[in-house]
Amino acid sequence: GNFLRTAEEVAGLVIGSNNGQPVYLKQVAKIEEGAEKPSQYVFYGVGQYDQAQAGKYRSEYPAVTLSVSKKKGADAMKLSERIITKIDHLKKELIPDEVQVSETRNYGETASEKVSELLLHLFIAVIAVTLFVMLAMGWRGGLVVFLSVPVTFALTLFSYYLLDYTLNRITLFALVFITGIVVDDSIIIAENMHRHFKMKRMPFLQAAIFAINEVGNPTILATFTVIAAVLPMAFVSGMMGPYMSPMPIGASIAMMLSLVVALTLTPYLGYLFLCEKDGHDETHPMALEESKIYRLYKSFINPMLETRWKRWAFILATVAVLLISVSFFYTKWVAVKMLPFDNKNEFQVVIDMPEGTTLERTAAVTKDIAQYISRQQLVKNYQGYVGTASPISFNGLVRHYDLRRGDNVADIQVNLSDKKDRSIQSHEIVKQLRPGVQKIARKYNANAKLVEVPPGPPVLSTIVAEVYGPDYDEQIRIAGQVKKLIETTPSVVDTDWMTEADQPEYRFEVDKEKAMRYGVAPAQVVSMLSAALSNMPVGSVHNPVSFDPVNIVLQLNDAEKSGVDDLRNLKIINRQGQAIPVGDLVNIRKEVKEKSIYRKNQKRVVYVLADMAGELESPSYAIFDISDKLKSINIKKGYTLEESFNEQPEYEDNFTLKWDGEWQITYEVFRDLGIAFGVVIIMIYMLIVGWFQDFKVPLVMLAAIPLSLIGIVLGHWMLGAYFTATSMIGFIALAGVMVRNSVLLIDFINIRLEDGIPLKQAIIEAGAVRTTPILLTAGAVVLGAVIILFDPIFQGLAISLMGGTITSTFLTLLVVPLLYFKMMRKQPAKQPL
């Protein structure tokens, strides 16, 4: 509660006693009040966005920062609310009016907003899917589907609880992601019951049982194909694994529970609602051949069934469109990136001055940049930290910003206006500010980097080049050449490296012979220089109201140790009481100070760092461009520069450049997702073989999977979006959805063949009957994905689900029956049972 503020208060401290009387510090020491060099600067400012508060915070003052870090988002939300409430209470009693308390970052509030937003999106998705089903099956059919969704989600949330998952952005996105998929089972069951009720060939109860039996087994198989497509993604390794594993696990659990609901609750609700509707319907049942869907589907597929060249022309044209779409990756019309930039309310300006820069000059640069930032309209406020690190954030976990110390480093935390109050994303704001900030930094020979909060797992930097080798000096020289190559690469910004510039170092070596001749011990010289430069404790101040003693230290002021001559003229008292200059006792040698050595897995490494901002912001393409220029690097004779894209070199007897950063995560994620996709294909193939007892039929069903790439690639191209890890997740998930449609289609063809219907007629009837549930399930997937289309991180997932579902659904209804017709046409017709 009591703080020392003035020199008088310091002088009045009791430091001991003499014959029972207190001894004050002013009795034994001379106290002068004056400017002293601070160990760090901390200042706070507001921008134009909050001008009403500008007058309060323009002046510089010491700041105390309270940081709270919790592992679970729910705990962070509760804890932040309690802290804010407690501070508001303290303002009434303890915190004086002249102390301003500002809330600069509240990740608990951010987490709460995201959870609330996703819950709203989830509700909208359920309503949108229900309304869509109502358009096709009436309000009673939509009600059957609608009632099955909350039951499925309630059971899924209970499963989350048992698995100790929290309601965070990933687990909730899993629910939003599968909203359109979990209703598929219920839609198929309800639609088939609805169709049989309208046919009126048997009583309602028998019609309901027959309808469920007709599609029950293929629905079970189709559900397991979707689970087989989604679940392997839970085994992604590296940093991205824990980040995304709740999504496939949650989606698989929800799919399994949706199947249980579809086979238990949905039939009951369907019998309860749908038969009542048709019980009052006096119209005669309509024959299948008279329906619009039958006539429309027949007009499309019958010419290709009858004419061989038309059939081949359509299939080859589809393959050509698929190949053209895939070529968009090569032409960079659709760029591949790990995750797109997110829309955050904050970013950092990290400032590095040349080694040896004074704290005051670093503070001047930081203030100059901060004033420029404060004039920007979308900047809410900022906090500057000079000589010390800012409170660690998600961005600093791997970049180790919390370890930044020294007179030549600074950090500005910039808070933007809320994303709901601005029309442009934070990444665009950073791109607009970067030229102005770096122009100011160049005036002071500073390196200023504008660092955004990463959208996914944090990395050391977007582009990281690691140089390994047997000679550390040569590693630094090679890294310098790599740095120049990176700087000249388009769309690459904020290039830096973790190597200090050459700094002079003066080594004072005591001449022992001279010291002995002058009667001075060598240790006395060392002690004098250490005290002059580094402080020397001479005692402690004991404050009665303080728990800890205050150390009293002696040191030269800055003016008396600004050069070597000042230290040379320091006097040392020898045994005879003579004052001997230090310069007479030492030999001074000027050297280059040794540089810090960084190691990764016990291997010496030199890091070169860079970020991306420009027309093409995917680090993969920049790395490939730089890789083509590595031949121009000059290497010591007898050595070569090897290049590694995925792992450290095993040995250090040659020089190696290893690419890391976002590229490493991109490589691991797409590699693991590719392996997962291969496992998906094998699992789906085995499931279909086990059900149909045929090794060729699954190949026809799997043909629908690559067709989704047409819509996926074209969708990314039209919206100018990156093909990201979430896009790949959408593609793999669609593999199960598309095979589901193929299973339902071919299963019904086989049912009609067993009834003695010719193959062509069975294909037309199967297409006409299954088109409605397939379109309903596809529409549900698309509507469920629309909700997350405008989320920066999961936009790729939404585009994949929407574009892939639309194209592959329509092509599946034509390509799969045509391939099945080609395979089965020469087989003898089955006799009816």
Side-chain angles (χ1 to χ4, degrees), residues 698-718:
L699 298 178
V700 175
M701 297 181 178
L702 294 175
I705 295 176
L707 298 179
S708 61
L709 272 175
I710 297 175
I712 291 174
V713 176
L714 293 179
H716 283 79
W717 173 67
M718 288 188 293

Side-chain angles (χ1 to χ4, degrees), residues 476-490 492 495-497 608-609 626 629-630 632-633:
I476 294 176
R477 196 178 69 83
I478 293 173
Q481 299 179 66
V482 173
K483 181 172 176 283
K484 292 180 180 178
L485 289 179
I486 293 176
E487 287 174 338
T488 57
T489 303
V492 177
T495 307
D496 197 3
W497 64 341
V608 182
L609 317 173
I626 299 167
K629 305 174 185 176
L630 291 180
S632 63
I633 291 181

Side-chain angles (χ1 to χ4, degrees), residues 43-229:
F43 58 88
Y44 181 96
V46 295
Q48 292 180 348
Y49 182 76
D50 194 5
Q51 284 289 351
Q53 300 294 324
K56 296 182 181 179
Y57 303 119
R58 283 301 179 191
S59 60
E60 180 185 320
Y61 67 92
V64 177
T65 302
L66 175 63
S67 299
V68 180
S69 175
K70 294 291 286 183
K71 291 183 178 180
K72 296 186 177 181
D75 295 337
M77 283 187 280
K78 295 177 182 178
L79 192 56
S80 63
E81 292 173 1
R82 291 174 59 188
I83 291 173
I84 293 172
T85 303
K86 182 67 174 178
I87 290 176
D88 291 338
H89 177 71
L90 293 177
K91 286 181 179 179
K92 303 174 183 177
E93 301 177 356
L94 183 63
I95 302 178
D97 294 337
E98 61 267 20
V99 174
Q100 304 295 335
V101 180
S102 302
E103 183 183 317
T104 57
R105 276 181 288 176
N106 187 346
Y107 293 142
E109 183 181 26
T110 305
S112 179
E113 289 177 357
K114 289 179 179 179
V115 169
S116 301
E117 184 180 13
L118 284 172
L119 289 174
L120 176 63
H121 289 173
L122 184 61
F123 177 75
I124 295 174
V126 173
I127 297 299
V129 170
T130 303
L131 293 176
F132 177 73
V133 174
M134 285 182 178
L135 294 176
M137 296 169 51
W139 70 270
R140 295 179 182 272
L143 188 61
V144 171
V145 175
F146 173 75
L147 293 177
S148 64
V149 173
V151 176
T152 303
F153 282 168
L155 294 173
T156 304
L157 292 175
F158 180 69
S159 302
Y160 279 169
Y161 172 76
L162 295 179
L163 293 173
D164 199 28
Y165 283 161
T166 58
L167 280 183
N168 54 55
R169 198 179 188 194
I170 303 302
T171 53
L172 283 175
F173 255 118
L175 297 181
V176 178
F177 155 57
I178 57 168
T179 299
I181 300 177
V182 294
V183 298
D184 287 358
D185 292 341
S186 296
I187 288 176
I188 293 170
I189 298 291
E191 192 279 334
N192 208 46
M193 293 176 63
H194 181 257
R195 183 173 66 87
H196 278 279
F197 289 166
K198 289 178 67 175
M199 292 169 61
K200 298 183 179 179
R201 294 181 178 176
M202 56 186 75
F204 283 129
L205 183 59
Q206 286 79 0
I209 296 174
F210 183 83
I212 298 167
N213 184 63
E214 187 178 45
V215 295
N217 289 333
T219 300
I220 295 173
L221 175 63
T223 302
F224 277 102
T225 60
V226 177
I227 294 175

Side-chain angles (χ1 to χ4, degrees), residues 655-673:
F655 294 101
T656 304
L657 173 63
K658 193 263 180 187
W659 294 107
D660 205 271
E662 187 179 307
W663 160 259
Q664 182 68 31
I665 296 182
T666 303
Y667 169 80
E668 290 177 349
V669 169
F670 279 95
R671 176 199 64 192
D672 293 345
L673 288 178

Side-chain angles (χ1 to χ4, degrees), residues 548-567:
D548 300 317
V550 179
N551 290 328
I552 302 174
V553 295
L554 296 178
Q555 68 170 353
L556 292 177
N557 60 38
D558 293 342
E560 293 176 343
K561 58 179 180 180
S562 59
V564 176
D565 291 336
D566 295 324
L567 298 177

